[in-house]
Amino acid sequence: LERVRHHRRTTRERRFRECLLEAMGDGLIATDGAGILTAANRAALALLGVERDKVLGRPIETIRMRSPKLAAYCRDAMDQQVRISQQEAMVNCGKESFPISVSVVPLGDGGEDVGGVVATFSDLRPLRAMEQELRRLDRLAALGRFASAVAHEIRNPLAAIGAGVEFLSS
């Protein structure tokens, strides 16, 4: 009876972890100590443009074709047991290439036991689009200020000319 309870509990916990990973908006991949991809959530697969069965169980270098920097960051974090935070990489999906923000955390204990890495990454396209829109709005604001200054400089002499014409016509 205790074994059945334990099995149900572990099954429930495993399903919870799987649901949690799949619900994440950011991409997540994990490797074991040998650099073999052991997990990838739906967002990671979509961002990299790969299928789950084509990458899981294969070396991290499998994703090098899609994102060389992401694979290199994972390998560096694993080899050197260092955390890599908020670095930028590019993803190449067909004809499209776009930036991602990458963070990698080693899973080892810092000693001899190298336990692989977990990498999270997010699409930077929406952020870049906002930055571009902000630059465009800044340029428009500067143009508006310039137009206002020009109108003011033209209006003053025109008022003086109008007053002079009115004085001469009376």
Side-chain angles (χ1 to χ4, degrees):
L1 186 59
E2 187 62 33
R3 182 181 284 173
V4 171
R5 285 187 188 139
H6 177 71
H7 177 66
R8 284 183 182 164
R9 189 172 346 129
T10 56
T11 303
R12 204 171 27 247
E13 289 172 1
R14 183 178 41 81
R15 271 189 263 153
F16 173 75
R17 282 191 302 271
E18 288 171 359
C19 287
L20 189 64
L21 290 177
E22 292 302 319
M24 287 179 62
D26 289 345
L28 180 137
I29 58 173
T31 70
D32 63 10
I36 304 298
L37 286 164
T38 57
N41 69 354
R42 189 176 302 130
L45 298 171
L47 282 171
L48 294 173
V50 295
E51 297 175 22
R52 189 180 305 271
D53 59 339
K54 301 252 191 220
V55 292
L56 290 187
R58 299 213 167 104
I60 189 70
E61 283 72 22
T62 305
I63 65 168
R64 186 174 300 280
M65 185 174 80
R66 298 292 184 171
S67 182
K69 277 286 215 188
L70 174 60
Y73 289 143
C74 289
R75 185 53 75 181
D76 290 347
M78 192 178 337
D79 292 345
Q80 300 167 18
Q81 287 295 293
V82 294
R83 176 183 291 246
I84 297 172
S85 297
Q86 301 298 312
Q87 295 297 313
E88 195 168 309
M90 294 299 287
V91 172
N92 306 309
C93 276
K95 295 179 181 179
E96 185 181 17
S97 183
F98 58 90
I100 57 173
S101 174
V102 179
S103 293
V104 185
V105 177
L107 295 175
D109 61 5
E112 293 292 317
D113 180 32
V114 178
V117 295
V118 171
T120 58
F121 48 97
S122 57
D123 190 350
L124 291 178
R125 286 177 288 190
L127 181 64
R128 295 293 156 80
M130 277 193 292
E131 289 171 350
Q132 188 175 4
E133 180 66 10
L134 193 59
R135 283 192 298 273
R136 187 183 75 79
L137 291 174
D138 281 345
R139 284 192 306 270
L140 286 174
L143 183 62
R145 288 189 299 271
F146 175 72
S148 174
V150 167
H152 177 73
E153 293 301 323
I154 290 174
R155 203 173 324 134
N156 286 345
L158 284 179
I161 292 171
V165 167
E166 192 175 312
F167 176 73
L168 290 175
S169 67
S170 53

